[in-house]
Amino acid sequence: MKEFLIFGQEWFELNQKGYSLRKIGKLYGTTHKTVGRVFDFLKLSRINWYNNELINITNQKFGQITVINILNETDHNGKRYWLCYCSCNSNKQFKVISSDLRRGRKTHCGCNFPLKNDLSGQTFGYLTVVKDSGERSPLVMWQTKCTCGKTHPVSTSDLISGHTKSCGCKRPKGEEHYKWSGSSEIKLYLRGKLKEWKKDSLNYASYRCVISGEVGNRKDPLEVHHLFKSFSSIYHESLELCKLEEVSNIGEYTKEELDLLIHTLISKHYEYGLGVPIKRSLHLEYHHFFKKESPSGNFEEFLRLKRSELK
């Protein structure tokens, strides 16, 4: 194949003019597979021509799909994408390769997939399912109504798993959120410097929740709970030790002051001991009962309570 690499640009131009890979191969005394490998090696986009002509399927219908026009995009095999829309209520536009349309592999946008479970009328948290919205992402999207009166589209998995329980109106915000420690930029910046402390805390517990013994997952990841002293308390103690005033902007500290504060904050975290890994759902529940305070006695009480529930 190496001896044909010099022809890459020529072959690309011929392909754009309507020459198929097979015809290019015959002109240069090689196979269409070698031509394809050269295109792939040089990362050249290609058009797959049939009988030296691109089959025009503009305005043709395939099931519920109507083809709008061809796009200047190809998949990894060099097949051109066509812009289409579905005749369902969503009028969703999407791209499809022509072979999927002509061979009947794609006849709708996903709106005709049968519903395994009809959730209409069921309640999940603060949301009541009104009806199937007709949208697919590609999951079934349900039109729900929150107790506050707002409507909100939610997927089947988010409803059943409990990931979404409201339109967002019940989500703790600002000072009500358990991670609230002021809105200053410096605190957010310093939290990001505790990665090693968090990693050591997770590693010490073998990356398992100290309550359930389970590993974290995408929907309910592990978080590191400050067991003996909250982040905010350690932060203010570090400021006192460094003899610095609290500011809202990182730029108000010099580089030396900021480095000193980071070093002190990390040292104090290790001095007070590692944190404990806990699943986010349990972490939220804990701080719902005990707010922002985190004495170890409260956590031990919570630990006994939750472990007794899990038995």
Side-chain angles (χ1 to χ4, degrees):
M1 184 193 77
K2 292 182 179 179
E3 63 270 23
F4 292 107
L5 291 177
I6 57 174
F7 300 114
Q9 191 59 37
E10 293 179 28
W11 291 356
F12 173 74
E13 292 173 1
L14 288 172
N15 181 242
Q16 295 295 313
K17 291 178 181 178
Y19 283 72
S20 66
L21 301 192
R22 192 177 297 277
K23 189 171 183 179
I24 294 172
K26 286 182 179 179
L27 287 174
Y28 286 80
T30 185
T31 65
H32 68 283
K33 291 183 178 180
T34 300
V35 178
R37 291 192 192 103
V38 170
F39 272 71
D40 292 339
F41 184 82
L42 298 176
K43 297 181 179 179
L44 299 172
S45 61
R46 56 184 173 178
I47 303 173
N48 284 346
W49 301 89
Y50 300 90
N51 298 325
N52 209 32
E53 291 184 4
L54 184 68
I55 299 174
N56 189 357
I57 56 174
T58 304
N59 296 326
Q60 292 188 33
K61 290 188 176 182
F62 301 87
Q64 292 179 226
I65 294 176
T66 302
V67 182
I68 301 174
N69 55 41
I70 193 169
L71 297 173
N72 192 26
E73 297 179 45
T74 61
D75 67 358
H76 64 283
N77 290 320
K79 296 180 180 179
R80 290 286 287 272
Y81 280 113
W82 295 79
L83 181 64
C84 308
Y85 75 90
C86 185
S87 60
C88 66
N89 294 332
S90 65
N91 286 323
K92 181 180 178 182
Q93 292 189 359
F94 49 94
K95 58 185 181 182
V96 191
I97 57 175
S98 62
S99 58
D100 283 349
L101 293 170
R102 291 185 289 106
R103 294 173 185 175
R105 289 197 291 257
K106 192 83 172 176
T107 58
H108 53 83
C109 66
C111 55
N112 277 351
F113 287 132
L115 295 177
K116 293 183 179 179
N117 297 308
D118 188 356
L119 304 182
S120 300
Q122 296 187 41
T123 301
F124 299 87
Y126 300 96
L127 298 173
T128 300
V129 180
V130 179
K131 62 178 181 179
D132 177 8
S133 67
E135 297 179 26
R136 302 292 184 269
S137 64
L139 301 175
V140 177
M141 300 296 290
W142 298 91
Q143 182 180 330
T144 64
K145 188 172 184 179
C146 186
T147 52
C148 69
K150 292 182 181 178
T151 57
H152 185 60
V154 190
S155 69
T156 303
S157 60
D158 283 346
L159 286 171
I160 294 175
S161 66
H163 184 262
T164 303
K165 296 181 179 179
S166 71
C167 66
C169 62
K170 304 298 181 182
R171 188 182 299 126
K173 298 176 182 178
E175 295 183 2
E176 296 178 1
H177 198 279
Y178 76 92
K179 283 190 175 180
W180 175 262
S181 59
S183 59
S184 68
E185 179 188 353
I186 185 66
K187 287 184 179 178
L188 296 175
Y189 174 79
L190 291 173
R191 279 184 180 274
K193 296 297 179 181
L194 298 176
K195 289 180 181 178
E196 285 301 317
W197 177 80
K198 290 180 179 179
K199 185 178 178 181
D200 290 341
S201 300
L202 290 166
N203 190 47
Y204 185 78
S206 301
Y207 287 84
R208 291 183 177 274
C209 175
V210 295
I211 295 177
S212 65
E214 299 173 341
V215 296
N217 54 54
R218 191 174 180 180
K219 290 191 174 179
D220 199 5
L222 289 177
E223 295 183 345
V224 178
H225 171 69
H226 287 74
L227 184 59
F228 300 103
K229 207 165 188 179
S230 67
F231 170 82
S232 187
S233 299
I234 298 175
Y235 164 67
H236 285 103
E237 185 179 344
S238 300
L239 284 175
E240 291 179 12
L241 290 171
C242 296
K243 297 180 180 179
L244 296 173
E245 293 184 2
E246 184 175 9
V247 298
S248 59
N249 195 311
I250 299 173
E252 295 182 45
Y253 289 131
T254 64
K255 184 180 183 303
E256 292 74 18
E257 289 173 337
L258 190 58
D259 288 343
L260 176 61
L261 181 57
I262 292 170
H263 176 75
T264 306
L265 183 79
I266 294 173
S267 299
K268 295 303 291 184
H269 269 79
Y270 278 102
E271 182 181 322
Y272 284 112
L274 297 174
V276 289
I278 179 173
K279 281 198 165 186
R280 178 177 290 171
S281 57
L282 293 169
H283 204 187
L284 285 165
E285 187 177 348
Y286 170 80
H287 283 288
H288 175 73
F289 287 109
F290 297 105
K291 305 303 178 184
K292 291 185 287 183
E293 300 302 322
S294 59
S296 58
N298 285 349
F299 188 77
E300 289 172 5
E301 179 186 342
F302 182 74
L303 185 63
R304 285 193 298 270
L305 175 65
K306 299 309 294 183
R307 281 182 173 173
S308 64
E309 290 178 2
L310 293 171
K311 287 182 180 179

